[in-house]
Amino acid sequence: MAYGTPDQLYTSADLLDGYDPNDPMAFTNSWDFQTYRTYVADGGTTPKTLDIRREQADHDAHIADALKVFLDREPKPKLVGIMGGHSLKRSDEAYRAVARLGRHLTQRGYLIVTGGGPGAMEAAHVGAAFSSVGDAALEDALRELGTVASLPKGMDDILTETGELGPNHEEIAKQARLWLNKAIDVKKAAPKDGGQSLAIPTWVYGSEPSTPFATVYAKYFQNSIREEALVTQSRAGIVYAQGGGGTLREVFEDTEQNYYAKTAADFTPMIFFDPDGFWQRDATFDQGGAIVLRGLKLDDVIDKVFRYAGKPSATQKVKFTTDFNVIDSVLDAHAPAAQENLAFALASPGTISV
């Protein structure tokens, strides 16, 4: 299979091409999953041949260019990244809180960008999609989504290491179809004039479906390029919902960029957002080692990092809060610098990669 050279960003319809909502195996028949299956068969993160590596790199270069075209428009979008774990359930209060925040920020003129997966990422796009209607419509959508709260466990087992369908693929695909179908049905109820949003997913995690709620998708093979695009293009600030290893990588990639920020204006806001206080407490465990209370305490760590970097005043852009007014004040104060930095990045593509 040739990976192709897209001349524009993908849409949900592109990724779901071949998906029949009435077919129990619909997920595995989608173009998105078939591309993932080829990617795995071709060696995954270690392509088998130089030609495969070149084809994937060519694809990603075209996606990067399409992303630049998307961002290089007037007026320049104010990008706010919303990062968070894929395992957050649609029925969780933390999921609903992220959706409400995504709606609020979209209404205030920001363009939401996420990694495009399930969990907190999907919640942000749901909020954007329902940004032009009243609170009740969003709450109805969240209640309906909550009836199929999560993807099945063991999604990684849907394929073997050689790209063959795994022994439990049928049951996994059936459950994934229910999750996707619910999203597709709810998306149909979203207003036509809902807010735009950008997803930047990767086929490295292609065993999980991309949420269908985003407007456009810059989907990459190279996760490192995708992570760079997520963090560097979120010029107006990044919101961190609760998450795991992937979210932590984004936190500390963002921390590194802010550590080396030359001026206070270059320091991008970091908002740690969670109604459960996830980022301000340590996890607790029972005697058997099982998690009793989830948490990854970062507030002291992040503060000490920037004090060590000689940027104690910059910590005014680091907030652990769920207060929309506080979030608005931090993002709005940084917005002029964010617009200037985005314009510079687009004029000098070698400076900030996409």
Side-chain angles (χ1 to χ4, degrees):
M1 170 184 175
Y3 289 107
T5 52
D7 58 4
Q8 58 186 7
L9 299 180
Y10 297 114
T11 65
S12 178
D14 294 330
L15 298 179
L16 289 174
D17 186 38
Y19 183 94
D20 179 356
N22 298 311
D23 183 350
M25 296 294 102
F27 173 52
T28 59
N29 294 332
S30 68
W31 177 86
D32 192 15
F33 184 85
Q34 289 298 315
T35 301
Y36 169 64
R37 187 173 179 181
T38 301
Y39 166 76
V40 173
D42 283 344
T45 56
T46 54
K48 292 179 179 178
T49 68
L50 182 58
D51 285 343
I52 292 172
R53 190 181 297 274
R54 282 172 171 161
E55 283 189 24
Q56 292 177 358
D58 197 27
H59 169 279
D60 285 358
H62 278 75
I63 281 293
D65 191 63
L67 179 56
K68 180 179 182 297
V69 170
F70 177 78
L71 297 177
D72 192 12
R73 53 187 174 142
E74 297 295 343
K76 295 289 187 292
K78 298 185 294 183
L79 272 72
V80 172
I82 297 186
M83 316 300 179
H86 65 127
S87 61
L88 202 62
K89 295 180 180 179
R90 289 167 169 169
S91 55
D92 289 341
E93 176 55 31
Y95 179 102
R96 294 190 287 268
V98 172
R100 293 170 191 138
L101 179 63
R103 175 176 179 266
H104 173 77
L105 292 177
T106 303
Q107 289 174 336
R108 290 184 59 81
Y110 291 99
L111 178 69
I112 300 301
V113 53
T114 84
M121 295 170 280
E122 178 184 69
H125 292 290
V126 172
F130 283 86
S131 62
S132 65
V133 292
D135 295 348
L138 174 62
E139 297 305 318
D140 287 345
L142 292 174
R143 278 192 293 271
E144 187 62 25
L145 284 168
T147 61
V148 183
S150 60
L151 285 163
K153 294 181 179 180
M155 289 294 298
D156 288 345
D157 297 329
I158 197 167
L159 290 183
T160 67
E161 292 182 357
T162 60
E164 299 300 319
L165 292 170
N168 297 322
H169 77 275
E170 290 187 359
E171 185 57 33
I172 295 172
K174 288 177 183 178
Q175 296 300 314
R177 165 181 162 269
L178 295 177
W179 183 89
L180 263 172
N181 277 0
K182 182 58 65 175
I184 292 169
D185 288 345
V186 171
K187 183 182 177 182
K188 291 176 182 176
K192 300 298 182 184
D193 61 347
Q196 286 194 328
S197 61
L198 167 65
I200 309 182
T202 173
W203 276 289
V204 172
Y205 304 124
S207 60
E208 291 183 339
S210 298
T211 176
F213 284 100
T215 309
V216 288
Y217 301 75
K219 192 154 189 174
Y220 288 89
F221 289 104
Q222 287 291 323
N223 188 47
S224 58
I225 299 175
R226 171 254 194 169
E227 291 283 0
E228 178 79 1
L230 271 171
V231 174
T232 59
Q233 293 309 318
S234 299
R235 307 307 303 165
I238 299 181
V239 175
Y240 295 100
Q242 61 176 264
T247 307
L248 284 172
R249 173 168 47 193
E250 290 152 356
V251 167
F252 286 104
E253 185 174 350
D254 192 13
T255 299
E256 179 192 14
Q257 291 196 12
N258 280 335
Y259 185 100
Y260 291 111
K262 293 181 178 179
T263 69
D266 294 329
F267 191 107
T268 303
M270 302 175 71
I271 310 295
F272 293 84
F273 176 88
D274 190 82
D276 297 332
F278 179 85
W279 298 113
Q280 294 174 283
R281 65 162 181 258
D282 290 320
T284 57
F285 306 87
D286 64 19
Q287 292 184 344
I291 296 176
V292 175
L293 184 66
R294 299 175 72 243
L296 288 169
K297 184 173 174 59
L298 290 185
D299 48 355
D300 291 341
V301 173
I302 297 297
D303 179 69
K304 289 174 181 177
V305 166
F306 292 127
R307 290 184 182 278
Y308 178 78
K311 295 180 170 65
S313 63
T315 56
Q316 63 186 334
K317 290 187 176 182
V318 180
K319 299 293 182 182
F320 290 76
T321 183
T322 57
D323 188 324
F324 285 11
N325 291 326
V326 173
I327 295 170
D328 289 345
S329 65
V330 174
L331 296 182
D332 290 351
H334 179 71
Q339 293 298 89
E340 183 177 341
N341 287 341
L342 178 60
F344 176 74
L346 293 172
S348 308
T351 304
I352 301 177
S353 67
V354 291

